[in-house]
Amino acid sequence: MASRRDAVAAEIPKLRRYAWALTGDDGEADDLIQDTLERALARLEQWREGDTPRKWLFSILHNLHVDGLRRKSRRPPHVGLDSVGVDQSAPAADGASGRDLDRALQLLSGEQRQVVLLVGLEGLSYAETAEVLAIPVGTVMSRLARGRGRLRTLMGYEGDDKGGHAALRRVK
């Protein structure tokens, strides 16, 4: 049982990164991670042998996030008193910054953002992503393609599509 707990603990940084990317808020991400870990540790016996802890934990986190979105849609919006900090994100060589990418990700539909983050950021396979989100693999591939295309547009890149591979260049 201790080794399972250690395996869960090892995934916390990845869960945090994904939760923050989904919510865009440190407090909400922390709450989502806490709820995920609480549920996972209470149900360690439900973790099937052979499954990776990452896939199992991302499934729990995803389901909690969707449940939270449903609850939020039924009540008035929360207005927080968060302080706005100085943008300390340094631009990349092409003029883009991490802050630009964060904003662009938040403009994707929730379905596209989830797939882009799980495949592109967390490195899950299409099949693992399909299991986490409980959707067909073809849907994962479609949402990923549309999400990546939308990100390119939002980030100001234009594709030079030759042979099915887009070579991106920043539009000035």
Side-chain angles (χ1 to χ4, degrees):
M1 191 68 80
S3 65
R4 285 186 174 206
R5 288 176 188 256
D6 293 339
V8 168
E11 296 297 324
I12 292 173
K14 294 171 185 129
L15 289 171
R16 176 144 177 63
R17 181 173 55 204
Y18 181 57
W20 189 90
L22 281 177
T23 64
D25 179 77
D26 287 337
E28 283 185 52
D30 288 342
D31 290 345
L32 186 56
I33 292 165
Q34 181 175 343
D35 293 345
T36 299
L37 294 173
E38 181 181 327
R39 183 165 291 180
L41 293 174
R43 298 177 179 153
L44 275 176
E45 72 281 352
Q46 292 179 0
W47 178 6
R48 289 178 275 172
E49 286 299 322
D51 271 356
T52 63
R54 178 187 275 186
K55 184 173 69 172
W56 183 63
L57 291 166
F58 276 107
S59 295
I60 294 170
L61 187 141
H62 168 74
N63 291 334
L64 287 171
H65 177 67
V66 169
D67 290 345
L69 290 176
R70 286 186 189 128
R71 274 193 305 279
K72 281 183 184 179
S73 71
R74 291 185 222 130
R75 63 177 183 223
H78 172 74
V79 178
L81 300 176
D82 298 335
S83 60
V84 178
V86 176
D87 183 6
Q88 298 177 2
S89 176
D94 64 358
S97 72
R99 181 78 71 188
D100 294 336
L101 180 59
D102 289 340
R103 285 189 200 112
L105 281 167
Q106 294 306 315
L107 293 173
L108 293 178
S109 72
E111 294 170 335
Q112 290 175 356
R113 184 172 53 249
Q114 290 167 347
V115 171
V116 167
L117 291 171
L118 288 173
V119 173
L121 182 65
E122 297 304 333
L124 269 62
S125 69
Y126 292 172
E128 290 172 326
T129 300
E131 281 188 54
V132 166
L133 300 177
I135 58 176
V137 173
T139 304
V140 168
M141 292 167 42
S142 174
R143 288 179 185 173
L144 183 61
R146 287 192 318 267
R148 285 177 173 166
R150 178 98 169 104
L151 274 178
R152 282 194 284 284
T153 300
L154 291 168
M155 294 292 294
Y157 288 92
E158 62 183 28
D160 182 14
D161 200 2
K162 294 183 179 154
H165 301 284
L168 300 177
R169 31 178 219 274
R170 183 96 170 146
V171 177
K172 301 277 184 201

